[in-house]
Amino acid sequence: MRKYLIQFKPFLIFISTFFGVYILLTVLYKLYLNSFETTNIDGITNFAGHNVDQLMRWFNCDIKIFKSISKPYLEVWYNQKYTLRIIEGCNAVSVLILFVSFVIAFSGKFKTTLLFIISGVLLIYILNVIRIALLTILLFYFPEKEHILHGVLFPLIIYGLVFILWIIWVNKFSKYAK
């Protein structure tokens, strides 16, 4: 048994670090969410909605985003039509937790790791804001394609970016890079 522990030590360290960081960040995020009443929207989701509004106004879109009267989500009205809602899960925090956990599990030098995490988080967040804006427009014109757009295409894009960032991290910056 000891032979296998020694042989698989790098893998076991990776797995334990990944899950340790993932669980820690998930618990911290859950504590953050629990600090809001069930009828309120958390600050990160509000910020994402605000950024979507700013982006779409920059392109002169007729957009209105505001809190639902009775539910904890943001209503998105595009061209005077209720198009979609932004819920807590739309803020990309779960994707960011996954990204950060992987990078830390394959950490390199502290400064490089920190800079990569910060730039990766910003890139993923910006792509997420663009994703919500594009989804708003596409669902306005193609509401019947909601499943393929929201359930397949846009998750593929955001998780695809995370995967590409992981590949770059492991091959260029982690302690295992050549």
Side-chain angles (χ1 to χ4, degrees):
M1 181 67 148
R2 180 171 163 79
K3 173 183 140 186
Y4 292 115
L5 288 175
I6 293 170
Q7 180 181 357
F8 294 112
K9 182 180 178 183
F11 174 74
L12 295 172
I13 289 171
F14 166 78
I15 289 292
S16 59
T17 304
F18 175 83
F19 281 115
V21 172
Y22 185 82
I23 290 167
L24 174 67
L25 292 176
T26 302
V27 167
L28 289 174
Y29 182 57
K30 184 68 174 157
L31 291 172
Y32 165 77
L33 289 177
N34 288 343
S35 70
F36 294 90
E37 294 181 27
T38 56
T39 57
N40 284 342
I41 301 166
D42 68 279
I44 300 170
T45 303
N46 260 326
F47 189 65
H50 177 71
N51 291 149
V52 170
D53 184 70
Q54 287 178 315
L55 176 65
M56 293 185 77
R57 287 184 190 279
W58 194 60
F59 286 101
N60 293 320
C61 294
D62 179 14
I63 188 78
K64 288 186 176 73
I65 300 176
F66 52 87
K67 185 191 176 307
S68 169
I69 295 170
S70 60
K71 302 286 183 181
Y73 58 77
L74 298 171
E75 294 182 5
V76 179
W77 291 73
Y78 180 68
N79 292 335
Q80 288 90 40
K81 180 182 174 194
Y82 176 67
T83 309
L84 59 85
R85 62 184 179 183
I86 301 174
I87 62 170
E88 175 272 320
C90 298
N91 64 21
V93 172
S94 60
V95 176
L96 296 173
I97 289 172
L98 193 65
F99 168 74
V100 169
S101 300
F102 183 88
V103 172
I104 290 174
F106 267 116
S107 64
K109 295 177 184 168
F110 178 77
K111 184 177 177 182
T112 307
T113 303
L114 184 62
L115 289 174
F116 193 84
I117 287 173
I118 291 169
S119 57
V121 163
L122 285 172
L123 186 61
I124 293 165
Y125 180 81
I126 290 167
L127 180 65
N128 187 56
V129 168
I130 294 168
R131 173 190 77 93
I132 295 169
L134 288 174
L135 192 58
T136 299
I137 295 166
L138 289 171
L139 287 179
F140 177 80
Y141 291 105
F142 308 104
E144 72 281 359
K145 303 291 185 191
E146 179 182 2
H147 174 72
I148 193 81
L149 292 170
H150 184 267
V152 178
L153 182 63
F154 286 105
L156 182 65
I157 291 169
I158 201 131
Y159 284 111
L161 173 65
V162 170
F163 183 72
I164 290 167
L165 289 173
W166 284 346
I167 297 295
I168 292 168
W169 174 252
V170 169
N171 289 318
K172 300 278 185 194
F173 303 108
S174 77
K175 60 186 168 195
Y176 301 104
K178 293 180 181 179

